[in-house]
Amino acid sequence: MLTSPPPIPVGPSELTPGWLTQVLRRAGAIEGGGVAEVSVEPAGRGQVADCFRCRLHFDRAEPQAPGSVIIKLPARDPTSRESGVGYALYEREVLQ
């Protein structure tokens, strides 16, 4: 049974080992282990989103686990964020 998804982070400081563990477990990418450490770096900036590469280190071997993931978050810039909300761009990406 799936639990409700974790909340979408507001910024890169919320891309924590705990949050990433929840997301990866929910996606079936990891089973028993968890993310022990994460380093976050910018990976690009779009018009209505900010992207970050998260390099992952796990507390135990997880054969299917990715070494890194790209996380796309709503833009931190208020004007860009308003555009994304106004045109329902964020909902379209999550629901499609």
Side-chain angles (χ1 to χ4, degrees), residues 2-4 7 32 37 39 44-45 55 65 70 73 77 88 92:
L2 288 179
T3 59
S4 54
E37 185 180 326
S39 63
R45 186 168 278 183
R55 297 189 191 277
I70 298 290
L73 299 178
D77 175 70
R92 289 181 191 173

Side-chain angles (χ1 to χ4, degrees), residues 47-71:
Q47 293 182 351
V48 293
D50 298 330
C51 296
F52 302 92
R53 176 181 304 278
C54 297
R55 297 189 191 277
L56 309 173
H57 301 278
F58 295 90
D59 58 6
R60 66 174 82 164
E62 288 279 354
Q64 303 298 322
S68 68
V69 294
I70 298 290
I71 305 289

Side-chain angles (χ1 to χ4, degrees), residues 16-41:
T16 63
W19 185 85
L20 287 157
T21 296
Q22 288 180 49
V23 170
L24 293 170
R25 278 202 185 124
R26 192 171 166 77
I30 60 174
E31 293 178 9
V35 177
E37 185 180 326
V38 60
S39 63
V40 179
E41 58 195 53

Side-chain angles (χ1 to χ4, degrees), residues 64-89:
Q64 303 298 322
S68 68
V69 294
I70 298 290
I71 305 289
K72 185 175 183 181
L73 299 178
R76 288 178 284 178
D77 175 70
T79 303
S80 296
R81 185 177 279 220
E82 285 176 25
S83 295
V85 170
Y87 289 103
L89 298 176

